[in-house]
């Protein structure tokens, strides 16, 4: 197992999202978000997006793990592990309950004042995402989500409010979480959480996705420009879901398809980092006849509002086959995917590929030549609790150890510039994709079940002490 000490200042920590752990969905003036109308599901049953909050449905995000009231003890546990940073998000609907108000909700702002102060009390740097799957439901219903150019102004106002309020307490920001998930646009969960696009309100989901993503990218660039003006010390990044794309065979058509999938999946970060669309996507849009609302002023904004770093999640890789989709007929990238026979899978059928993380860091370094930040990585698994409330999770330790080792190879042997590493779900929370609590990622166990029962008590898993030692040794002891 390769290991090496990281550079001074490396940001070890953990990652969460507001809607998956805060709970308190209607407390202190908070409005309804997209996440608040998503029911519970499982790996075989998709979450439903209901038309508002419907009596009798199970909405796991409503209470989640009640971090809103438990954050002091949770941050203390993270400090005990030695966290240097804590990645979370600001729930848009805590600050602007409907998304289009003239004035922000002071009680929502005060909550994050207290949360960030608690982090700084232990020397933990907040790393904050502005939109993480929690768009105001009102903006979805009234404006069609990000299909409307009007939402740009609402988002920029939200961003400015946060930048001004927390300019002295937050240094690291990201504008949108996993903005490129919606490239698999046949999945309504992905289009709804990224852009507020509901299938029932769309005549052409693909066209709507490209238009919405353009508006999001313009909003991101405007926010980056504004944030740097408010505090030149801000480090503002983008955030994508990254999966290395493998061709299923050495057949040149498979290789071409892998190239095409990468172009379609990562044009979002091209715009974020390079300030321009890639040529393949522009050609594709022209072939499809999608006359998007993209102005000359938009293009200038995109050039001027490029990000400082690339944040990304890494869970698995993607293998594609031209037997599934001809490269020149590629549309929804999910249609091209096949199982990789060389990789094992988790209980939720996610393929496990630690070497893929090293591939990812090399690919992103070669393409963007900027700092990288691994802001999500982890394994969802069932955890068993003993009568003494012990949780033995060697599978989690093995998964993270293997991925950290490959990250360290990419840094030490390949020259990747990596700012930090924040495993996903450092404390158990509601799974975004399935709405389950039983799909657990954390170093900290939360006594909460899929049906909503449980004491909400927190317990340390074996991985808690293991990760503590990793941080203490700055990555040398794995």
């Amino acid at each position: 197992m390769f290991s090496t000490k990281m550079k001074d200042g490396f940001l070890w920590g953990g990652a969460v999202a507001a809607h998956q752990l805060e709970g308190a969905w209607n407390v202190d003036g908070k409005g309804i978000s997209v996440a608040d109308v998503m029911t519970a599901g499982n790996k075989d049953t998709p979450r439903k997006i209901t038309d508002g909050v419907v009596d009798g449905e199970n909405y796991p995000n409503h209470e989640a793990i009640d971090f809103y009231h438990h954050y002091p003890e949770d941050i203390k546990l993270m400090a005990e592990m030695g966290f240097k940073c804590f990645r979370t998000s600001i729930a848009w609907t805590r600050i602007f309950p409907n998304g289009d108000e003239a004035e922000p909700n002071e009680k929502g702002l005060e909550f994050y004042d207290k949360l960030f102060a608690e982090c700084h009390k232990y020397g933990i740097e907040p790393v904050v995402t502005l939109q993480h799957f929690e768009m105001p439901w009102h903006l979805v219903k009234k404006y069609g989500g990000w299909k409307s150019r009007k939402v740009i102004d609402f988002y920029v106002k939200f961003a400015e409010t946060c930048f001004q309020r927390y300019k002295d307490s937050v240094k690291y920001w990201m504008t949108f979480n996993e903005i490129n998930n919606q490239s698999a646009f046949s999945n309504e969960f992905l289009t709804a959480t990224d852009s507020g696009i509901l299938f029932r309100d769309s005549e052409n989901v693909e066209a709507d996705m490209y238009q919405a993503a353009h508006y999001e990218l313009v909003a991101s660039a405007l926010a980056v420009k504004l944030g740097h003006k408010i505090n030149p010390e801000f480090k503002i990044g983008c955030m994508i879901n990254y999966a290395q794309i493998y061709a299923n065979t050495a057949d040149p058509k498979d290789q071409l398809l892998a190239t095409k999938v990468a172009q379609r999946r990562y044009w979002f970060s091209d715009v974020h980092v390079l300030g321009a669309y890639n040529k393949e996507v522009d050609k594709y849009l022209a072939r499809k006849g999608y006359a998007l609302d993209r102005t000359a002023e938009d293009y200038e904004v995109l050039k001027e509002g490029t990000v400082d770093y690339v944040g990304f999640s890494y869970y698995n890789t993607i293998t594609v086959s031209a037997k599934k989709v001809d490269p020149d007929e590629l549309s929804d990238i999910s249609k091209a995917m096949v199982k990789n026979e060389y990789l094992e899978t988790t209980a939720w059928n996610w393929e496990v590929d630690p070497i893929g993380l090293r591939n990812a860091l090399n690919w992103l370094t070669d393409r963007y030549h900027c700092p990288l930040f691994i802001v999500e990585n982890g394994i969802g698994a069932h955890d068993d609790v003993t009568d003494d409330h012990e949780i033995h999770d060697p599978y989690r330790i093995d998964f993270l150890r293997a991925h950290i080792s490959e990250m360290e190879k990419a840094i030490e042997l390949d020259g990747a510039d990596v700012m930090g590493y924040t495993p996903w779900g450092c404390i158990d929370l509601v799974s975004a994709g399935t709405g389950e609590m039983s799909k657990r990622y954390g170093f900290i166990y939360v006594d909460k079940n899929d049906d909503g029962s449980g004491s909400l008590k927190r317990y340390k898993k074996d991985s808690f002490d293991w990760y503590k030692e990793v941080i203490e040794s700055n990555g040398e002891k794995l």
Side-chain angles (χ1 to χ4, degrees):
M1 179 67 62
F2 182 92
S3 66
T4 187
K5 186 171 285 191
M6 294 293 90
K7 64 186 177 184
D8 291 344
F10 188 83
L11 293 170
W12 295 101
V16 299
H19 70 98
Q20 290 170 259
L21 86 166
E22 283 182 5
W25 72 284
N26 58 356
V27 171
D28 290 335
K30 182 185 176 298
I32 299 173
S33 77
V34 171
D36 292 324
V37 297
M38 289 187 172
T39 64
N42 54 53
K43 71 176 182 179
D44 301 314
T45 306
R47 303 184 75 176
K48 291 187 300 182
I49 303 167
T50 58
D51 193 3
V53 176
V54 177
D55 287 344
E57 293 284 3
N58 177 11
Y59 299 102
N61 299 64
H62 283 192
E63 183 187 47
I65 63 165
D66 197 26
F67 179 78
Y68 193 80
H69 297 108
H70 287 258
Y71 72 88
E73 67 178 284
D74 293 340
I75 297 299
K76 185 177 181 181
L77 285 166
M78 294 171 197
E80 186 179 339
M81 274 187 281
F83 278 23
K84 309 302 180 187
C85 72
F86 173 54
R87 183 202 169 203
T88 189
S89 59
I90 293 175
W92 191 343
T93 54
R94 286 207 191 282
I95 312 305
F96 291 96
N98 288 321
D100 59 359
E101 289 91 348
E103 298 297 329
N105 172 32
E106 179 60 25
K107 285 192 175 295
L109 291 167
E110 288 174 358
F111 169 71
Y112 294 105
D113 284 333
K114 292 183 289 187
L115 173 58
F116 300 149
E118 197 69 20
C119 289
H120 285 296
K121 174 176 157 183
Y122 298 103
I124 297 172
E125 286 280 357
V127 178
V128 174
T129 312
L130 287 170
Q131 182 176 313
H132 191 140
F133 299 172
E134 45 211 344
M135 185 179 191
W137 181 243
H138 172 76
L139 298 185
V140 175
K141 295 296 291 181
K142 184 173 181 179
Y143 302 95
W146 279 100
K147 291 186 293 182
S148 171
R149 182 176 280 273
K150 292 179 181 179
V151 176
I152 295 175
D153 291 337
F154 301 141
Y155 175 88
V156 172
K157 184 173 184 177
F158 165 58
E160 181 176 16
T161 300
C162 294
F163 289 154
Q164 290 285 7
R165 181 72 169 225
Y166 309 119
K167 64 179 182 291
D168 297 320
S169 55
V170 177
K171 177 180 179 181
Y172 299 98
W173 301 86
M174 286 174 284
T175 53
F176 288 87
N177 182 72
E178 293 186 332
I179 189 173
N180 63 322
N181 274 351
Q182 58 195 309
S183 58
F185 56 83
S186 62
N187 184 328
E188 186 178 34
F189 172 81
L190 300 179
T191 61
T193 52
D194 270 0
S195 295
I197 297 171
L198 304 177
F199 286 2
R200 57 183 175 265
D201 297 333
S202 178
E203 294 182 2
N204 187 328
V205 175
E206 183 179 27
D208 285 344
M209 181 275 289
Y210 277 103
Q211 183 64 78
H214 175 74
Y215 290 151
E216 288 173 296
L217 290 162
V218 171
S220 172
L222 288 168
V224 170
K225 290 176 63 178
L226 185 60
H228 286 151
K229 185 176 180 181
I230 290 170
N231 185 347
E233 299 301 312
F234 280 169
K235 299 297 180 186
I236 308 174
C238 63
M239 197 289 196
I240 60 169
N241 177 293
Y242 189 85
Q244 187 71 23
I245 313 298
Y246 297 139
N248 192 45
T249 70
D251 183 336
K253 289 188 74 173
D254 279 358
Q255 300 291 324
L256 177 60
L257 180 61
T259 298
K260 291 287 185 183
V261 170
Q263 289 169 330
R264 272 334 140 70
R265 202 163 195 274
Y266 303 122
W267 69 268
F268 303 82
S269 44
D270 288 346
V271 178
H272 274 307
V273 183
L274 306 175
Y277 280 77
N278 72 46
K279 298 298 184 184
E280 196 275 344
V281 167
D282 274 340
K283 281 288 189 181
Y284 176 74
L285 294 173
R287 284 202 312 276
K288 295 287 285 190
Y290 295 156
L292 303 186
D293 174 24
R294 299 191 294 179
T295 69
E297 182 182 1
D298 290 345
Y299 290 126
E300 286 303 309
V301 168
L302 295 176
K303 288 179 185 176
E304 295 168 355
T306 55
V307 296
D308 300 316
Y309 65 91
V310 174
F312 69 99
S313 59
Y314 176 82
Y315 293 99
N316 53 8
T317 45
I318 291 172
T319 304
V320 297
S321 170
K323 290 182 179 179
K324 299 270 288 185
V325 176
D326 184 278
D328 290 328
E329 296 175 1
L330 177 66
S331 178
D332 179 351
I333 66 171
S334 65
K335 308 291 187 183
M337 297 179 190
V338 295
K339 178 175 172 50
N340 189 318
E341 63 183 87
Y342 296 99
L343 301 176
E344 296 181 354
T345 60
T346 71
W348 278 264
N349 297 322
W350 289 26
E351 292 174 342
V352 178
D353 182 7
I355 295 173
L357 178 56
R358 184 178 178 185
N359 274 320
L361 290 165
N362 275 270
W363 191 93
L364 291 165
T365 295
D366 290 346
R367 193 172 185 91
Y368 297 129
H369 304 283
C370 71
L372 307 174
F373 198 163
I374 304 168
V375 294
E376 292 184 28
N377 175 233
I379 181 172
H382 292 288
D383 289 334
D384 294 321
V385 185
T386 70
D387 292 340
D388 295 327
H389 300 113
E390 293 179 344
I391 302 96
H392 305 301
D393 56 343
Y395 39 86
R396 184 168 292 110
I397 294 170
D398 290 344
F399 179 97
L400 294 172
R401 177 189 287 123
H403 283 76
I404 293 173
S405 180
E406 294 299 329
M407 173 191 75
E408 293 184 349
K409 288 179 188 176
I411 295 168
E412 184 69 19
L413 305 180
D414 307 331
D417 180 7
V418 183
M419 298 163 55
Y421 176 79
T422 58
W424 176 250
C426 50
I427 181 170
D428 288 347
L429 38 61
V430 175
S431 167
T434 66
E436 295 169 291
M437 277 299 304
S438 56
K439 186 182 183 184
R440 298 178 182 273
Y441 287 85
F443 305 114
I444 302 164
Y445 184 92
V446 179
D447 181 25
K448 178 78 178 287
N449 302 311
D450 289 341
D451 63 5
S453 62
S455 67
L456 293 177
K457 289 183 178 179
R458 276 64 165 156
Y459 302 101
K460 300 173 189 176
K461 305 179 188 179
D462 287 354
S463 56
F464 183 104
D465 291 322
W466 170 81
Y467 192 50
K468 180 180 180 180
E469 187 172 40
V470 171
I471 297 175
E472 283 176 347
S473 68
N474 202 11
E476 197 167 20
K477 294 184 179 179
L478 299 181

